[in-house]
Amino acid sequence: MTAPVSLPPLGLAHFTALDVPPLELVGLAADAGYSSIGLRLIPAAPGALAYTIPAGRAQMAEMRHRLHDRGVRVHDVEIATIGADFDPASLAAVLDSAAELGAESLSVCADDTDRGRLVDRFGALCDLAARSAIAVDLEWMGWRAVRTLDDALDVVTRAGRSNGRILVDALHLKRNGGTPADLAAVPAGLIRSVQLCDAGPVAPVGTEAIIAEARGGRLPPGEGVLPLVELLAVLPVEANLSLEVPMGTALPAEERVRRVHAATVALLKRRRPG
């Protein structure tokens, strides 16, 4: 008789339902079966949608109440871009909010081609975040200066901060030449945040198409060709699994988050135990 597969808790990345404000996202996530959420408190690009939850204000108190009432936690806030003119101090208010929300990590990407300067500023951001017991997770993306797993590992290891880590996104891993086997060689403790999604068989060509897929052309886990079973097999048991599946707004947000959760649960149940 086959032993049942133990299902890990699942988080809802805000990008899956970015049209839903944080206060509403809590209940939406809880009703669909998620145990945690991520929050987009920093715009991914100038003018892009993001939300604010100022520390010490009434909105923060209401947010904390809803999180407690529904049994949902905040895993991360996102997403800062470390560019050539990045000042870690510019994120002080966001880190204050993250701390009051109980977030574990701040997610960042990097677009500075001066690797030495990038390492220094990533390290300085880690130092600032450490004051609030928050980790800094560096994500790689094909159109950024940090575009591969090796790039991200280089920055994090050279910075040498105990709270500096990498963020594994299943789409960016595959599309930028990485494999699950590559993750198995990552030093212990550097992977605590993982974003799951799926994608079609044809990789986009050109920066515009790559960005379009990443920001609106993903599929629910198990509905595409990414090696998700192999990826899950090599992840550390403590890794937080978050479902980041932006796929447009043709479907209502509730239907989107439920579909993504159900697809992921089905995928996890298909895994062979052990």
Side-chain angles (χ1 to χ4, degrees):
M1 182 175 179
T2 303
V5 176
S6 177
L7 300 181
L10 298 174
L12 174 64
H14 208 163
F15 206 12
T16 302
L18 191 55
D19 49 323
V20 180
L23 288 172
E24 297 174 24
L25 190 69
V26 177
L28 195 70
D31 289 343
Y34 295 88
S35 63
S36 66
I37 57 175
L39 293 174
R40 179 64 63 88
L41 301 188
I42 308 164
L49 181 60
Y51 299 90
T52 58
I53 311 176
R57 302 289 183 85
Q59 184 185 9
M60 176 63 76
E62 178 61 22
M63 186 71 183
R64 285 167 54 88
H65 170 74
R66 293 193 187 192
L67 289 165
H68 180 268
D69 186 58
R70 299 307 307 272
V72 174
R73 66 181 179 84
V74 176
H75 172 69
D76 71 309
V77 300
E78 61 169 13
I79 181 170
T81 301
I82 305 177
D85 58 352
F86 175 74
D87 178 5
S90 67
L91 295 181
V94 170
L95 287 168
D96 287 343
S97 294
E100 196 163 343
L101 289 164
E104 177 184 333
S105 63
L106 167 70
S107 298
V108 305
C109 58
D111 221 5
D112 188 352
T113 56
D114 184 325
R115 185 59 58 87
R117 180 173 61 200
L118 171 57
V119 168
D120 289 343
R121 289 182 176 168
F122 179 80
L125 178 58
C126 287
D127 292 342
L128 183 63
R131 299 175 188 175
S132 300
I134 292 173
V136 181
D137 293 335
L138 177 59
E139 181 177 8
W140 66 95
M141 303 174 184
W143 62 94
R144 302 287 191 187
V146 171
R147 62 174 301 273
T148 67
L149 169 61
D150 285 345
D151 288 335
L153 285 172
D154 180 59
V155 173
V156 171
T157 55
R158 285 172 62 182
R161 300 312 200 271
S162 61
N163 63 331
R165 309 184 309 208
I166 63 170
L167 189 164
V168 177
D169 181 302
L171 180 71
H172 297 316
L173 177 69
K174 174 66 175 179
R175 294 303 196 220
N176 295 294
T179 68
D182 295 328
L183 296 179
V186 172
L190 291 189
I191 300 175
R192 292 292 299 274
S193 297
V194 179
Q195 294 175 337
L196 299 178
C197 68
D198 221 325
V202 180
V205 177
T207 299
E208 186 174 326
I210 291 170
I211 294 174
E213 180 188 51
R215 294 181 176 172
R218 304 190 190 209
L219 299 173
E223 297 186 11
V225 301
L226 299 187
L228 299 180
V229 171
E230 294 82 358
L231 171 62
L232 290 164
V234 301
L235 292 176
V237 295
E238 67 271 16
N240 183 86
L241 303 181
S242 181
L243 310 185
E244 183 173 80
V245 192
M247 50 184 177
T249 57
L251 296 176
E254 181 179 2
E255 187 173 343
R256 269 176 275 145
V257 301
R258 288 185 179 276
R259 176 185 168 190
V260 168
H261 188 276
T264 306
V265 169
L267 173 69
L268 292 169
K269 287 182 176 179
R270 289 201 303 269
R271 287 190 303 161
R272 291 164 53 184

